[in-house]
Amino acid sequence: MSLLDRDRLHLWHPYTQMKTAPPPLPIVSASGVYLYTDDGRRILDGISSWWVNIHGHSHPALNAALAAQAARLEHVMFAGCTHPPAVDLADRLISLLPSGITRVFYSDNGSTAAEVAVKLAVQYWINRAEPQRRTIVALHHAYHGDTVGAMSVSEDSIFTRAFTPLLFQVERAHAPYCYRCPLGLERRSCRVDCLSDLEQTLARLGDTAAAVIVEPMLQGAGGMIVWPPEFLAGVRRLCDRFGVLLIADEVLTGFGRTGRMFACEHAEVTPDIICLSKALTAGYLPLGATCTTEAVYDAFLSDDRSRTFFHGHSFTANPLACAVALASLDLFEQDDTLARVRRLEAQLQSGLEPLRDLPIVGDVRVIGGVGAIELRDADLSPLDVARGDPEPVEGSGPRGGYLDEIGPRLAAAFLDRGLLLRPLGNVLYFMPPYVITEEETGWAIEQIKGVLQGVAIQSP
Ligand SMILES: Cc1ncc(COP(=O)(O)O)c(C=O)c1O
């Protein structure tokens, strides 16, 4: 039996309607920006394997770090034990994170990094004898993961709707989605007026608000929504004014994706809690880190053991993952990785901006190593078809007629050309590993242009 036949027999893939989805790509090896299939195809990984890969696949330095660590210590529980890779990585992270962040709590993926942040925030206020502060404020179009807490603080969408009875209530405020401004304003002339919704929400909640959680500068799964830095600075100001914690979910944006090591740097903001995962290990192994300030940490110190943060996972601070993360940070220095991302940003900007002239293109958004193109469709909410789920779900809200199927159709067209992309509904984005060359980026932009020109011709 072929790999695909055997896959079909027992496997169940994420975000996949197993009845109707096309067969998965049978990937047998990968190197640099390329994935190789068992039938000999070479495909450019245009989404960094769900946004995790940065230095390229199967990187010799990362492979060596992994092998060396495996020969020494593969894993040990992290309650009551510690080990050099976890300590070294915490040191390195603290030296890179916005100043004021001094503590690292490890977990093992992006959802748990966000889940830990929310639990820390709620217990922080309990430990500070303000238990009424328990409401989390999240933004529209947010995505923080798939565990129950992370879903609760994400946008209400087809991702979360089946689980609504399990979710806790949150308050939601406007995000600065300039292309579809919630206030109908123009970015050129507005004064980031959408921030007033958060201000009013926090004023209304008074001393019942615990924290505001945001994806700073770039809301990913919600449609690659790029923020004006003024909005992020304003969120920090409001959190200070109303005395609530700011949680920055940098699971996607951390480690250079927006052109800075951390997206909070765009507005020189230090959050109270910051969530890291994905590119933390350069896409090698699952690892999460929820990092915080001494003030938050101190609230958990007590002779009363009930104030302990009772949270942990079997694979907390896995030494293999920590060792690869350290090797990845070495590569940032050796290769001047951030300069690479800035060059990629400039090329994406100059290559994608002209696509605005295509009739099907509504908006072009570029930040760091991410280029997104939002196709015209007034009704389609990207989150309703995010991660490229091709299946319309009953009761999932308004659907765009022609564009309803556009995401999977575009994905198939790109795959025919050897480019792996996974549009978020009507938002097409390109987010390659940073090691992509100028020539490869140019080629990918040409493919995007070619496919979108074809769509424009067919469009009614
Ligand atoms: C901002 C953000 N937070 C959390 C997550 C969840 O991470 P994971 O898929 O590792 O659970 C994601 C995943 O896309 C994300 O983009």
Side-chain angles (χ1 to χ4, degrees), residues 320-331:
L320 301 173
C322 291
V324 178
L326 282 162
S328 167
L329 294 178
D330 289 341
L331 287 179

Side-chain angles (χ1 to χ4, degrees), residues 15 50-52 108-115 142-147 150 154 159 213-216 218-222 224 248-253 275-278 286-288 387:
Y15 280 92
W50 255 350
W51 320 346
V52 299
D108 52 16
N109 63 68
S111 302
T112 53
E115 192 95 19
Y143 178 76
H144 297 287
D146 286 352
T147 52
S154 298
F159 291 1
I213 184 167
V214 302
E215 293 155 85
L218 175 67
Q219 289 181 295
M224 295 299 155
D249 178 349
E250 294 231 23
V251 166
L252 161 61
T253 53
C275 311
L276 308 173
S277 188
K278 289 199 185 276
L287 182 66
R387 294 201 177 181

Side-chain angles (χ1 to χ4, degrees), residues 1-239:
M1 275 205 287
S2 73
L3 186 64
L4 288 181
D5 288 338
R6 289 170 54 216
D7 176 282
R8 204 170 305 124
L9 214 50
H10 293 302
L11 285 174
W12 190 344
H13 289 265
Y15 280 92
T16 302
Q17 175 41 262
M18 296 300 289
K19 185 172 178 193
T20 53
L25 286 172
I27 304 298
V28 288
S29 65
S31 172
V33 295
Y34 293 107
L35 307 169
Y36 296 92
T37 63
D38 71 352
D39 54 359
R41 278 176 291 160
R42 185 182 82 158
I43 298 164
L44 195 151
D45 185 355
I47 49 172
S48 296
S49 289
W50 255 350
W51 320 346
V52 299
N53 196 290
I54 52 177
H55 303 300
H57 290 274
S58 218
H59 192 291
L62 303 179
N63 294 351
L66 179 56
Q69 184 57 44
R72 272 196 297 273
L73 170 68
E74 85 302 345
H75 187 64
V76 63
M77 65 189 285
F78 207 60
C81 298
T82 191
H83 50 76
V87 175
D88 292 345
L89 180 58
D91 275 355
R92 291 284 287 278
L93 289 175
I94 296 306
S95 73
L96 293 167
L97 283 162
S99 78
I101 301 284
T102 53
R103 292 280 161 185
V104 177
F105 186 95
Y106 289 113
S107 62
D108 52 16
N109 63 68
S111 302
T112 53
E115 192 95 19
V116 164
V118 168
K119 288 176 71 173
L120 274 181
V122 170
Q123 192 180 341
Y124 168 81
W125 290 114
I126 291 171
N127 288 0
R128 293 270 314 257
E130 291 194 59
Q132 80 288 353
R133 282 198 177 272
R134 47 191 283 192
T135 301
I136 307 289
V137 181
L139 298 187
H140 286 296
H141 312 288
Y143 178 76
H144 297 287
D146 286 352
T147 52
V148 170
M151 277 195 294
S152 299
V153 293
S154 298
E155 179 68 292
D156 172 29
S157 73
I158 59 163
F159 291 1
T160 61
R161 217 152 286 157
F163 314 109
T164 303
L166 303 179
L167 306 184
F168 57 79
Q169 275 209 321
V170 301
E171 292 286 331
R172 292 198 175 83
H174 288 326
Y177 191 174
C178 301
Y179 175 61
R180 297 181 190 278
C181 174
L183 304 177
L185 302 175
E186 290 283 332
R187 178 66 197 112
R188 276 188 296 276
S189 49
C190 86
R191 300 168 68 185
V192 201
D193 306 73
C194 50
L195 200 53
S196 62
D197 194 30
L198 178 63
E199 183 176 12
Q200 284 157 22
T201 304
L202 289 174
R204 180 165 40 81
L205 289 172
D207 71 355
T208 63
V212 175
I213 184 167
V214 302
E215 293 155 85
M217 295 305 296
L218 175 67
Q219 289 181 295
M224 295 299 155
I225 300 164
V226 178
W227 290 9
E230 293 86 345
F231 186 88
L232 177 57
V235 173
R236 177 70 273 182
R237 261 197 322 274
L238 289 175
C239 287

